[in-house]
Amino acid sequence: REFPPPRGKDHRIAEERFREVTRTVRTLFAASRDQVMVHRSASARKGPKKGGARTKQTEIQEGKALFLVGGEADPEGTFFPDQRFVRSYLDQAAGRGTFLSIFDTSGGAAISVALGGAQQTVTLGVGSRNVETLVNNFSRNGLHPENHKIITDSVMSWLKKSRHPFDLIYICLRKKQYRQTDSSIFKVGSDHRFLIDRTIAGLSKGGRLVVSSLLPNFELDPAVMDAYRCRTMSKKLVSPDVTRGARNFRCWEISR
């Protein structure tokens, strides 16, 4: 995945470096061209080239789960390999209970726990642009939408109305803010305390909440640390893929 080069950087140099990276990856993993999914920055995508290998979807496997990534249905590249240890842990922790994931735009966590035996899952806080990707991935894994719902409503509004307790809840924080409605924005830094209070209230007896973040300098609000039992899981669940961002990865398991 390519991020935009700094302003003033010669785009010819950036282009050559990107080609060198893709050649190296193919050589290192003995991968053919169609086994490498390319996700480029907006500036790099400008030009006459449309369609072709860069817009097709590729199927990848993670444990028992299959995911379609790339293409027009996944414009933001919403599947995050660096969360795979978290997904594996959630799979083991959920058992056959009920599961709610929030801001996990790939639906990867819900699919993993559903294949592990969870009876019911709800994926909340995803944008309308991501729904097609999620529906396709649930369908690809043979999961019936009746038992695995996708909700695009405002997170806090939906949680206030929900009366169904969950055995396990997961909050995935990758952006500083999430748009909820045309006039409402969820700001992670100032609002995560209220989200955690609301989700803890929605846990069944003995239920647990898992919160992961890759935001620089993110820490749980001290009021959360005082009010609940918080166990740090960062070192246990950080992916070896994450190098530069490893210092930003934080993960907690929270319960009453």
Side-chain angles (χ1 to χ4, degrees):
R1 180 173 184 175
E2 180 192 42
F3 293 87
R7 286 188 176 183
K9 174 70 71 174
D10 189 329
H11 282 274
R12 291 174 297 178
I13 296 176
E15 179 69 21
E16 180 54 37
R17 287 178 176 173
F18 186 77
R19 291 177 180 174
E20 182 179 350
V21 167
T22 55
R23 287 195 298 266
T24 303
V25 167
R26 288 178 54 198
T27 301
L28 181 64
F29 293 102
S32 61
R33 188 181 299 274
D34 63 353
Q35 289 177 299
V36 179
M37 175 58 65
V38 173
H39 185 87
R40 306 207 65 179
S41 65
S43 59
R45 287 199 305 267
K46 292 178 180 178
K49 203 164 190 176
K50 293 183 181 180
R54 290 182 180 174
T55 61
K56 73 176 184 179
Q57 287 191 309
T58 295
E59 185 175 86
I60 62 175
Q61 182 173 359
E62 179 181 271
K64 295 174 287 186
L66 297 171
F67 297 97
L68 294 168
V69 299
E72 298 297 333
D74 190 15
E76 299 173 359
T78 52
F79 181 77
F80 303 113
D82 53 50
Q83 293 283 316
R84 72 178 188 274
F85 283 11
V86 177
R87 287 189 286 269
S88 177
Y89 179 75
L90 293 169
D91 179 4
Q92 299 170 25
R96 296 189 59 80
T98 53
F99 175 73
L100 168 66
S101 69
I102 301 174
F103 297 138
D104 179 27
T105 52
S106 72
I111 290 172
S112 295
V113 303
L115 292 174
Q119 295 180 341
Q120 184 182 23
T121 71
V122 174
T123 303
L124 175 66
V126 298
S128 56
R129 297 179 69 191
N130 303 124
V131 171
E132 182 181 352
T133 301
L134 268 65
V135 169
N136 290 341
N137 282 332
F138 276 107
S139 176
R140 184 65 186 85
N141 286 277
L143 299 171
H144 197 283
E146 185 67 27
N147 299 323
H148 306 287
K149 300 186 183 301
I150 300 169
I151 309 294
T152 59
D153 297 352
S154 164
V155 168
M156 296 301 287
S157 297
W158 189 89
L159 289 171
K160 288 178 181 178
K161 295 183 292 184
S162 174
R163 295 294 180 266
H164 182 81
F166 292 92
D167 301 310
L168 182 65
I169 300 178
Y170 172 50
I171 302 174
C172 178
L173 302 175
R174 298 188 72 94
K175 298 193 296 184
K176 292 182 179 180
Q177 58 185 33
Y178 294 86
R179 180 168 294 280
Q180 299 295 281
T181 64
D182 290 340
S183 60
S184 172
I185 295 178
F186 178 88
K187 296 181 179 180
V188 170
S190 58
D191 298 340
H192 76 270
R193 170 189 171 185
F194 307 107
L195 176 59
I196 289 176
D197 285 341
R198 181 63 63 179
T199 50
I200 289 288
L203 286 173
S204 61
K205 185 177 181 181
R208 290 172 286 174
L209 166 67
V210 175
V211 179
S212 75
S213 167
L214 270 171
L215 297 173
N217 305 316
F218 176 81
E219 293 289 347
L220 287 181
D221 189 298
V224 171
M225 306 289 284
D226 292 339
Y228 309 111
R229 181 182 292 113
C230 301
R231 181 163 67 111
T232 301
M233 307 282 285
S234 307
K235 291 183 179 179
K236 179 179 179 179
L237 298 181
V238 66
S239 168
D241 301 306
V242 182
T243 53
R244 183 176 61 178
R247 63 184 181 271
N248 296 329
F249 177 78
R250 304 299 305 276
C251 188
W252 299 267
E253 185 177 77
I254 306 173
S255 58
R256 293 191 184 92

